[in-house]
């Protein structure tokens, strides 16, 4: 039974019910951990993969449920199974749909985090998928209590599609994990040294999604005047590596190394030991790598697209998206001059401190409580 005034929050936690936690999962894990430290919350987590682990945060009061639901093609887990379970589990509380989509049937006040509008930029060839993304989900957004987004750029994109959401749209910026802040020099991670020993390397973070532009990173790397460099590519799953490797340019194929999985605790040092990070993405709702790389003192190259213009800190090299010469020249200069810690590293580390998960968590708690209380007044 709920204690008087206790906040009950059900969470669509599919991004934590997976083999490896990625961007949305990191957001949810940090948010829940920090929120629970601020206030005692009764959490209910729901996942859709009984065959996969649940990477749940350590909180004081929670219950996790994993279940599958027939009709995967028709999003039945999200549209039927989840709200059916939430109907009782979060009575008197709220549902947080943490990963861009949400159910149309909302038996409790529903908050959705709309990270970006990328799914609405894709072509959906199947008629049902077009209807789902272009009709059902916009209708669900119109019904929900609050839409959270993570940057001013995403806010503009959302209102460009759905101006009717302006009154319920809130910008709550992400934070950065503590392990990236105030990072002391550490050893090269075993995941890196096992691949390339002590050789110098650049880092690409992104994977195979077309907007991440791995092909562009390869073009830049191929033109660099440093034949000893390695390029470490992150974000590729093990099954993706083989097909991608088969398409590498012959001139650089032996210098491209893939890291399908890196333990979270090692990632700050993967960034730290890189000469620079390449992040040629065309669009980001937030862009964790832009923040993480600078926080540990490593320069990062990206273009002022989406939210990345908001993350141009002291170690950001902002270059035009389609100017290959500018990318190559900027990176050549970094590689040629990079010896030890850069003069701007201390400023970049201080700049990163403004991105606070605790502040973000408090804003989420305020939104949960306001949505709950508003519904109870109706």
């Amino acid at each position: 039974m709920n204690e008087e005034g206790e906040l009950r929050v059900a969470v669509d936690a599919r991004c934590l019910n997976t083999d490896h936690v990625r961007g949305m999962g990191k957001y949810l894990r940090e948010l829940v951990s920090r929120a629970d430290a601020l206030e005692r919350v009764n959490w209910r987590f729901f996942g859709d993969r009984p065959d996969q682990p649940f990477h749940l945060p350590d909180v004081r009061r929670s219950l996790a449920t994993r279940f599958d639901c027939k009709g995967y093609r028709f999003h039945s887990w999200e549209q039927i199974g989840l709200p059916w379970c939430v109907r009782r589990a979060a009575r008197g509380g709220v549902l947080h749909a943490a990963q861009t989509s949400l159910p149309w049937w909302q038996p409790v006040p529903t908050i959705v985090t709309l990270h970006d509008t990328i799914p609405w930029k894709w072509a959906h060839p199947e008629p049902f998928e077009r209807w789902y993304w272009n009709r059902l989900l916009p209708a669900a957004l119109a019904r929900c209590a609050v839409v959270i987004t993570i940057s001013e750029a995403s806010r503009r994109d959302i209102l460009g599609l759905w101006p009717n959401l302006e009154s319920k749209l809130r910008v709550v910026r992400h934070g950065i994990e503590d392990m990236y802040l105030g990072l002391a020099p550490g050893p090269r991670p075993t995941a890196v040294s096992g691949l390339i020993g002590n050789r110098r390397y650049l880092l690409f973070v992104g994977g195979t999604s077309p907007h991440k532009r791995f092909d562009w990173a390869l073009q830049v790397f191929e033109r660099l005047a440093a034949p000893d460099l390695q390029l470490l590519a992150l974000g590729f799953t093990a099954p993706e590596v083989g097909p991608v490797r088969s398409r590498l340019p012959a001139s650089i194929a032996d210098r491209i190394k893939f890291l399908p999985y890196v333990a979270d605790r090692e990632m700050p040092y993967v960034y730290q030991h890189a000469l620079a990070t390449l992040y040629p993405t065309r669009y980001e709702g937030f862009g964790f790598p832009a923040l993480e790389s600078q926080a540990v003192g490593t320069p990062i190259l990206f273009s002022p697209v989406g939210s990345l213009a908001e993350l141009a800190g002291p170690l950001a090299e902002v270059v035009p998206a389609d100017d290959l010469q500018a990318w190559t020249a900027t990176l050549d200069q970094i590689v040629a001059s990079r010896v030890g810690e850069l003069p701007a590293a201390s400023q970049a580390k201080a700049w990163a401190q403004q991105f606070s998960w605790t502040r973000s968590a408090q804003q989420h708690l305020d939104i949960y409580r306001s949505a709950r209380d508003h519904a109870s007044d109706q």
Side-chain angles (χ1 to χ4, degrees):
M1 182 178 295
N2 263 14
E3 297 176 9
E4 186 68 26
E6 181 185 52
L7 186 58
R8 175 175 285 191
V9 181
V11 183
D12 176 352
R14 285 175 288 174
C15 53
L16 296 177
N17 182 199
T18 182
D19 58 343
H20 180 54
V21 175
R22 295 167 178 83
M24 289 186 188
K26 291 181 179 180
Y27 151 67
L28 183 56
R29 191 170 57 191
E30 285 292 322
L31 159 64
V32 170
S33 297
R34 302 304 178 97
D36 199 74
L38 292 169
E39 179 176 333
R40 185 179 175 87
V41 178
N42 188 340
W43 302 97
R44 290 296 305 270
F45 301 104
F46 294 94
D48 65 342
R49 293 292 302 272
D51 61 318
Q52 293 286 356
F54 224 151
H55 302 275
L56 295 173
D58 184 15
V59 295
R60 289 171 287 184
R61 188 172 182 185
S62 69
L63 183 63
T65 303
R66 288 176 291 180
F67 66 95
D68 55 13
C69 193
K70 292 182 179 179
Y72 176 81
R73 284 185 58 209
F74 302 103
H75 304 273
S76 58
W77 186 94
E78 178 178 82
Q79 296 300 324
I80 300 172
L82 176 63
W84 181 261
C85 292
V86 165
R87 180 169 170 263
R88 290 188 176 183
R91 184 177 296 162
V94 300
L95 167 66
H96 185 185
Q99 51 187 62
T100 294
S101 59
L102 73 166
W104 182 89
W105 175 30
Q106 298 166 15
V108 300
T110 298
I111 296 100
V112 60
T113 299
L114 195 54
H115 296 260
D116 52 51
T117 59
I118 288 176
W120 287 272
K121 297 176 186 294
W122 295 337
H124 297 287
E126 295 186 11
F128 178 80
E129 286 297 305
R130 286 200 299 274
W131 175 83
Y132 186 79
W133 287 98
N134 297 326
R135 295 294 183 89
L136 188 143
L137 287 181
L141 289 169
R143 290 168 59 86
C144 75
V146 179
V147 178
I148 296 172
T149 195
I150 58 180
S151 67
E152 291 296 333
S154 288
R155 180 182 185 277
R156 290 192 297 270
D157 290 344
I158 291 166
L159 293 180
L161 290 175
W162 307 294
N164 61 305
L165 297 181
E166 184 169 16
S167 64
K168 64 176 68 178
L169 187 57
R170 308 285 184 271
V171 176
V172 181
R173 289 201 306 181
H174 286 338
I176 186 170
E177 294 175 83
D178 289 344
M179 61 185 175
Y180 288 93
L181 299 173
L183 186 71
R188 181 174 288 214
T190 55
V192 174
S193 58
L195 275 178
I196 63 170
N198 290 320
R199 284 173 285 182
R200 302 188 305 166
Y201 67 90
L202 301 171
L203 188 63
F204 169 84
V205 183
T208 59
S209 296
H211 72 279
K212 298 292 188 178
R213 298 209 300 169
F214 181 55
D215 289 343
W216 180 266
L218 293 176
Q219 291 183 60
V220 174
F221 185 72
E222 194 172 18
R223 286 162 173 75
L224 295 179
D228 63 314
L229 279 180
Q230 309 287 301
L231 177 65
L232 296 190
L234 275 66
F236 298 82
T237 65
E240 291 170 340
V241 170
V244 173
R245 194 189 300 278
S246 69
R247 298 193 300 269
L248 294 176
S251 60
I252 56 173
D254 63 338
R255 295 193 288 133
I256 310 298
K257 309 296 182 184
F258 294 90
L259 284 172
Y261 173 76
V262 178
D264 287 345
R265 65 182 181 278
E266 291 195 330
M267 268 308 301
Y269 298 101
V270 175
Y271 281 114
Q272 187 184 71
H273 285 268
L275 294 181
T277 302
L278 281 70
Y279 197 42
T281 178
R282 281 279 190 191
Y283 180 86
E284 291 298 322
F286 187 74
F288 280 115
L291 182 54
E292 292 165 348
S293 188
Q294 294 182 78
V296 302
T298 296
I300 183 167
L301 281 73
F302 58 76
S303 300
V305 294
S307 66
L308 293 181
E310 301 168 39
L311 299 179
L315 284 176
E317 295 288 349
V318 181
V319 287
D322 296 315
D323 191 337
L324 188 59
Q325 183 177 356
W327 276 81
T328 305
T330 302
L331 200 51
D332 265 331
Q333 184 177 14
I334 291 173
V335 171
S337 61
R338 183 77 198 270
V339 178
E341 184 167 278
L342 294 169
S346 59
Q347 294 97 312
K349 293 174 182 178
W351 168 83
Q353 298 277 347
Q354 68 181 290
F355 296 90
S356 165
W357 275 122
T358 298
R359 183 184 304 118
S360 177
Q362 183 61 66
Q363 291 176 282
H364 280 79
L365 286 169
D366 292 343
I367 289 169
Y368 295 158
R369 195 177 300 101
S370 175
R372 180 200 63 184
D373 295 347
H374 181 74
S376 66
D377 291 340
Q378 299 302 304

